[in-house]
Amino acid sequence: MNLPESFILQLQGLVPTEWEALVDAITSTEPSVAVRVNDARAATVPNGARQVPWCNQGFYLNDRPAFTFDPDWHAGRYYVQDASSMFISHVIKHFIHEPVRYLDLCAAPGGKTTAALQALPAGSLVVANEIVPPRARVLADNIIRWGNPHCVVTSNAPAHFGKLTHFFDVIATDVPCSGEGMMRKDDEAVAQWSPQLVDQCAERQRGILSDAWNALRPGGLLIYSTCTYNRQENEEIADFIVNELGATSLEVPIEPSWNIHPAIGSDCHCYRFMPHRVDGEGLFMAAFRKDGNAPRQDIRIKGKNTKKCDEIGKIWLANPDCFTIEQQGDLYIATPVEWRNEIAALQASLNVLHAGVELATVMGRKTMPHPALAMSSARANEAFPVCEVDYPTGLRYLRGESIAVDGPRGYVLIAHEGAVLGFANNLGNRANNLYPKSQRILSTHLPDEKPQVL
């Protein structure tokens, strides 16, 4: 790998005594592979796996298996995430101790959102946003796969959130950046880099923060992160947040053994992850408290005149009293009771792709369970029969093929080794596959053995 000469000169000025080690790590070492297990699904890793120091649910793998062919991944039992990025779990747990309204402003593909859902106090509402529609759809698929019903997925520009005055207690901004921290594993990050790109990204980052700032209540928490090294997109933006937007830099407790590099040329508390120091990719993160103190905006929305689906909720949800169930178009959707007004307000002002739990699709007189219900932790375990399948049959199901199962007729859950994959309509001699098209395995070269991750 040949790094741009101007990039190397930048590193020499950034870390004068460490730049050679950093360049060597970028050009000559292999990226680590890590997963964060979904403890809500009782997922564990093999004995002896090495834990990510700053994340209790994060673990390093010895090699990179073909995750696409692992039913456990499709079942949302773990998320493949760079270890450095898992630091957001540590930041959240340090500062947040009661349920909050949380916005992940630049959320795709969903690693930091699922980490937030895992780290936040139970009952928090998480809004995950992605402006680019195809990436937003991937984000929604990953959120549905993770299974937490307290999440809303939107596809909007940051300025749209700025109109929601003081709506959020926490805003996380993993902003688009020049991607220097991804150079070790992404040749495109090397090919596209230029000093001009750095300047363009820094300007865009200031715009994103300014556009969304009004949505954070005074006293609220801002988490800022990039996957790049330069000061323009990191410390200079941190100084902008303090000096121009009106915030206080917050210190995050860390262990010396984690080997995280501090801020460079700034009085702000900043946390730099560099691959010659840590087992992970390049990352920058900092936390801020918005100046002032005010409660979040109270939301009251008049209920819609929609048809209720209480009977389905009583049968299909583990705790139906915790949800409000409404018909929206041809969908029955269950949203958490405590956040009903907030979710309605978001639906009234934003492009919402997913909210709560999609229970069912209405097709004339027929009601078909929605694929998202299969993956939701809110689903009642006894609502549908579970049909266990072997590994080859599980892969055929994940490819969208018809399969044969041993079970009662009607809607059943397909599972492999206890991990639920989705719905099928069992007709007896065959089962119609209801696995979503957007999530299907496309490869025709299927392995004989299951990758061993969990």
Side-chain angles (χ1 to χ4, degrees):
M1 178 190 298
N2 294 317
L3 297 177
E5 183 176 349
S6 54
F7 173 68
I8 294 177
L9 289 174
Q10 174 187 281
L11 294 185
Q12 291 175 348
L14 191 72
V15 281
T17 62
E18 300 181 37
W19 71 269
E20 291 178 302
L22 179 53
V23 168
D24 183 66
I26 295 172
T27 59
S28 305
T29 63
E30 291 296 319
S32 61
V33 181
V35 299
R36 183 169 36 76
V37 298
N38 190 346
D39 45 12
R41 300 199 191 279
T44 58
V45 295
N47 290 332
R50 186 164 56 94
Q51 187 174 6
V52 174
W54 42 84
C55 180
N56 292 337
Q57 293 81 23
F59 295 89
Y60 294 103
L61 304 183
N62 293 327
D63 52 26
R64 188 178 186 89
F67 296 111
T68 299
F69 303 115
D70 186 2
D72 285 330
W73 180 83
H74 290 271
R77 299 193 72 204
Y78 64 88
Y79 193 98
V80 184
Q81 185 178 26
D82 176 64
S84 300
S85 295
M86 296 182 195
F87 187 65
I88 195 166
S89 300
H90 177 72
V91 175
I92 288 172
K93 288 183 177 180
H94 177 70
F95 289 113
I96 306 170
H97 307 292
E98 59 184 23
V100 293
R101 298 178 193 165
Y102 181 104
L103 171 62
D104 191 342
L105 188 61
C106 312
K112 290 185 176 67
T113 304
T114 55
L117 286 165
Q118 194 166 27
L120 286 167
S124 295
L125 176 67
V126 173
V127 179
N129 179 70
E130 170 56 46
I131 188 173
V132 181
R135 287 171 53 83
R137 187 63 256 172
V138 172
L139 170 64
D141 285 344
N142 284 331
I143 294 302
I144 289 170
R145 190 178 289 117
W146 195 252
N148 190 309
H150 282 73
C151 193
V152 176
V153 179
T154 61
S155 183
N156 287 85
H160 295 164
F161 289 92
K163 299 175 183 178
L164 298 173
T165 299
H166 301 171
F167 189 96
F168 293 100
D169 304 296
V170 185
I171 297 181
T173 54
D174 186 38
V175 291
C177 68
S178 58
E180 297 166 354
M182 295 293 104
M183 285 182 172
R184 181 164 63 161
K185 64 179 184 179
D186 186 357
D187 292 339
E188 182 61 27
V190 178
Q192 72 178 3
W193 187 89
S194 70
Q196 293 75 24
L197 177 63
V198 171
D199 292 338
Q200 292 167 6
C201 288
E203 183 63 27
R204 185 182 183 188
Q205 290 151 8
R206 286 189 288 270
I208 289 172
L209 291 164
S210 298
D211 284 345
W213 190 245
N214 186 57
L216 182 64
R217 69 170 177 84
L221 177 70
L222 175 75
I223 303 172
Y224 177 81
S225 61
T226 71
C227 57
T228 202
Y229 300 120
N230 65 78
R231 290 192 67 259
Q232 293 99 308
E233 299 177 73
N234 292 334
E235 282 86 357
E236 289 184 16
I237 299 296
D239 292 340
F240 168 80
I241 293 170
V242 171
N243 298 326
E244 300 298 327
L245 296 184
T248 300
S249 175
L250 300 177
E251 184 175 7
V252 181
I254 59 174
E255 296 294 331
S257 60
W258 296 354
N259 215 16
I260 300 171
H261 197 289
I264 298 174
S266 173
D267 292 331
C268 291
H269 300 286
C270 303
Y271 304 88
R272 285 176 161 271
F273 293 71
M274 302 182 185
H276 70 294
R277 283 173 158 260
V278 304
D279 203 352
E281 301 310 298
L283 179 86
F284 174 95
M285 192 170 291
F288 305 86
R289 185 75 66 191
K290 186 174 183 177
D291 291 350
N293 189 16
R296 62 190 175 209
Q297 184 186 46
D298 191 21
I299 302 294
R300 298 193 183 279
I301 298 291
K302 185 178 179 180
K304 300 178 181 179
N305 294 321
T306 54
K307 179 181 177 182
K308 300 289 182 173
C309 190
D310 292 333
E311 291 306 313
I312 284 182
K314 290 177 182 177
I315 299 171
W316 290 358
L317 293 175
N319 297 291
D321 292 340
C322 295
F323 294 89
T324 296
I325 305 169
E326 296 178 339
Q327 184 175 355
Q328 298 179 14
D330 61 354
L331 292 179
Y332 286 131
I333 297 178
T335 53
V337 169
E338 67 269 37
W339 297 115
R340 179 181 181 277
N341 286 330
E342 284 80 359
I343 292 175
L346 294 170
Q347 290 170 330
S349 58
L350 300 173
N351 178 27
V352 174
L353 305 183
H354 162 79
V357 185
E358 288 96 342
L359 281 178
T361 303
V362 182
M363 306 173 64
R365 296 183 178 181
K366 185 179 180 182
T367 302
M368 181 173 66
H370 194 280
L373 176 63
M375 310 309 297
S376 178
S377 61
R379 172 179 49 80
N381 290 332
E382 67 278 5
F384 300 93
V386 178
C387 296
E388 277 282 339
V389 298
D390 59 19
Y391 181 60
T393 304
L395 288 186
R396 292 201 303 275
Y397 173 78
L398 293 171
R399 275 183 44 79
E401 300 174 9
S402 294
I403 60 174
V405 296
D406 183 15
R409 290 174 180 264
Y411 295 115
V412 299
L413 290 166
I414 304 301
H416 174 65
E417 296 181 350
V420 171
L421 304 177
F423 283 114
N425 186 10
N426 188 22
L427 305 178
N429 58 334
R430 64 182 176 83
N432 287 344
N433 196 319
L434 302 180
Y435 194 67
K437 290 183 179 180
S438 64
Q439 300 177 30
R440 292 176 182 175
I441 295 175
L442 300 179
S443 175
T444 58
H445 301 284
L446 304 179
D448 296 325
E449 297 183 0
K450 174 182 175 180
Q452 293 300 313
V453 177
L454 302 184

